[in-house]
Amino acid sequence: MPKAHVTTTINGDAYEVLCEPGQTLVDVIRNGLGLTGTKEGCSTGDCGACSVMLDGELVCSCLVLAVEADGKSIDTIEGMAEGEDELHPLQRNFLELNGLQCGICTPGILIAARALLERNPDPTETEIRFWLAGNLCRCTGYDKVIRSVQAAAEEMREA
C-alpha cells in the first residue's frame, strides 16, 4: 500500500511525514515524530488522554487519521510551556496543587483545560467539570484537577 505524505505544523514547527493511509494521528505524533507527551489510552475516543488541538479544535487524536492533519496546525503538550524554562500556568498549578497522579491522563487534561480557558477565562466549577468530562482519570477524584484549573484561571486573569 502506498504511503501518504503529510505536511503539518506541530507546536509551531513544520513537519513532513510518510504514513500509512489508515494510521492515526496519535500514532504518528508519538511513534513517527517522537512527541511522546500525547498518550494513547483507550484508542476509542473515550478517555481523552490523546487530546490535542487541531486547527484550534480540541480532538482525540486516536480518532483522527494522520492524513486528515495534512496542511493543518496541531498543538500538543510539548508546546504548552511558555518557553524552555517557564511552565504554562496550568502546568505550574497542576504541580503545585497536586492535580496529577500517574501522568497518563495529565497531558490530555492540560490541553483540554487550556482550550477551555482560551474560550472562557473565568469558568465556574460546573463549567470546568463539564468541559473536562471527556478526560478520564483512574487516580484522582478530580477535585485537585478542578482546583488546579481554577487557580490557573485566576492567575491568568490577573496577569
Side-chain angles (χ1 to χ4, degrees), residues 7-21:
T7 302
T8 186
T9 301
I10 302 176
N11 303 320
D13 296 325
Y15 286 89
E16 288 188 49
V17 65
L18 290 176
C19 63
E20 299 294 330

Side-chain angles (χ1 to χ4, degrees), residues 47-130:
C47 74
C50 67
S51 296
V52 298
M53 298 297 289
L54 181 63
D55 271 356
E57 294 298 319
L58 185 64
V59 299
C60 288
S61 59
C62 71
L63 298 179
V64 176
L65 295 177
V67 294
E68 294 178 89
D70 189 41
K72 296 183 179 178
S73 177
I74 301 165
D75 293 308
T76 71
I77 191 68
E78 285 88 355
M80 193 166 182
E82 309 275 330
E84 288 289 319
D85 300 321
E86 189 174 342
L87 294 176
H88 186 280
L90 280 163
Q91 293 170 307
R92 191 171 43 260
N93 279 284
F94 266 67
L95 286 171
E96 292 173 2
L97 300 174
N98 300 312
L100 61 120
Q101 297 291 315
C102 79
I104 297 295
C105 67
T106 305
I109 290 174
L110 287 169
I111 291 292
R114 185 179 75 180
L116 167 63
L117 296 182
E118 287 174 355
R119 287 166 176 74
N120 180 0
D122 191 17
T124 65
E125 179 180 338
T126 301
E127 290 169 324
I128 295 169
R129 287 184 183 277
F130 180 79

